[in-house]
Amino acid sequence: MRIRATAAALSGALAISALAVPAAQAADAPGVGAAKAQLFAAQSPAVTGADDARGDTKITNVTVNGGKDIVVGTSLKKTYTVSVTATDPAGIYDGYAFLWHGTDLDSKTGVDGAMTPGTDHGSCQQVNATTSTCSVTLVADPASTIYRNLLAGRWHVFASAVGKDGDYTIKDTYKSGWVKRASKLTTNAGPEPVKAGATLTVTGALTRANWDTDTYGGYGNQSVQLQFRKQGASSYSTVKTVTSDSRGNLKTTVKASADGSWRYAFAGTPTSSVATSTSDYVDVK
């Protein structure tokens, strides 16, 4: 009974029960719309949480989305897993986690974004008598939890674990995860075919998701690599670096020397995902 009560306290009362976003802010946000405003207005302003521990329960690892960035576009939900590995001499009863964005989990004004599980308990797999890995499923939804561009970048990972003897540990920020705006790239090389030694023009465009407007827009002034793979080769090599213009457009010229495929590749930023375009094959005569 004590274990169940402790677990409920950790995964319920100490978690963010709902994201506190002022209704006026939601209503005024471009592209948020009435539906989002109603959602935020209905959510509870209660936000509680603090680092705490009792006994010898320890969290040894937390994995977010398999170690990969959480990349979100303009419409599709991104479902991902957060896993908490914990140990206690008595064994692990439960592990729990969620992501939050802001400066201070203990203050409702210090949190402007959160992604919480739909359950109060993690799904636990025993590693051995003292250690278990517990997982929860979270959803990054551009219609609700990812509602503004300001949420792109580093998110904090709350993690907790409960031992079978009632011991527990709570970490407001155990580690960080990255939530990024989805990027897209295109490539078009021409003319096709082209004479050997002639000038080949390679154009393209770099765009990224805009969570304020629910559309994709040009991503300007970004370094993008132009890459080439000769026919029969197994990998691409970088030919030059091109900077996108203010609207995200790309354009450069090269000398045509051999048959092969051209593509643009973007390394990403702290707020936007990596992107690689579909290749364009050019026949050199």
Side-chain angles (χ1 to χ4, degrees):
M1 188 71 177
R2 182 182 63 164
I3 294 174
R4 187 172 300 278
T6 303
L10 291 174
S11 57
L14 290 174
I16 296 181
S17 59
L19 171 60
V21 179
Q25 176 185 354
D28 293 340
V32 171
K36 291 182 182 178
Q38 291 175 359
L39 172 65
F40 297 139
Q43 289 172 326
S44 167
V47 178
T48 58
D51 285 357
D52 193 10
R54 181 177 67 190
D56 42 20
T57 302
K58 296 180 180 178
I59 297 172
T60 58
N61 190 40
V62 173
T63 302
V64 180
N65 194 35
K68 300 178 181 179
D69 294 339
I70 301 162
V71 178
V72 186
T74 59
S75 59
L76 297 179
K77 299 177 182 179
K78 171 66 177 182
T79 301
Y80 61 99
T81 299
V82 181
S83 298
V84 178
T85 300
T87 184
D88 186 286
I92 294 299
Y93 172 78
D94 191 26
Y96 183 86
F98 61 81
L99 268 65
W100 62 278
H101 185 272
T103 58
D104 184 5
L105 188 57
D106 296 331
S107 167
K108 67 180 182 181
T109 60
V111 178
D112 56 15
M115 288 179 275
T116 59
T119 176
D120 287 341
H121 299 277
S123 175
C124 298
Q125 296 294 323
Q126 188 175 26
V127 177
N128 54 47
T130 62
T131 304
S132 293
T133 297
C134 303
S135 300
V136 296
T137 299
L138 304 182
V139 178
D141 187 353
S144 56
T145 54
I146 305 297
Y147 62 94
R148 293 290 298 274
N149 289 336
L150 60 85
L151 296 178
R154 185 191 300 272
W155 283 57
H156 309 287
V157 183
F158 171 99
S160 66
V162 184
K164 290 183 177 180
D165 56 1
D167 291 347
Y168 62 86
T169 184
I170 304 167
K171 296 289 184 181
D172 280 1
T173 303
Y174 182 86
K175 65 183 302 182
S176 297
W178 292 89
V179 181
K180 296 187 177 183
R181 298 160 64 178
S183 302
K184 294 181 179 181
L185 265 176
T186 60
T187 298
N188 184 39
E192 303 178 57
V194 63
K195 292 183 178 181
T199 297
L200 186 69
T201 300
V202 187
T203 59
L206 174 64
T207 58
R208 63 173 174 168
N210 186 328
W211 298 334
D212 290 345
T213 61
D214 298 327
T215 60
Y216 278 82
Y219 196 7
N221 304 312
Q222 299 300 309
S223 295
V224 179
Q225 293 182 331
L226 176 65
Q227 300 179 336
F228 177 68
R229 184 181 67 187
K230 187 176 180 180
Q231 185 179 21
S234 60
S235 60
Y236 283 85
S237 59
T238 298
V239 176
K240 63 168 66 174
T241 298
V242 182
T243 301
S244 60
D245 68 14
S246 60
R247 296 184 177 181
N249 297 315
L250 299 159
K251 184 176 182 180
T252 191
T253 58
V254 293
K255 293 294 183 182
S257 59
D259 295 349
S261 300
W262 295 88
R263 72 180 187 184
Y264 280 116
F266 175 54
T269 68
T271 60
S272 303
S273 73
V274 301
T276 303
S277 72
T278 300
S279 62
D280 187 12
Y281 182 83
V282 176
D283 181 19
V284 178
K285 300 293 187 180

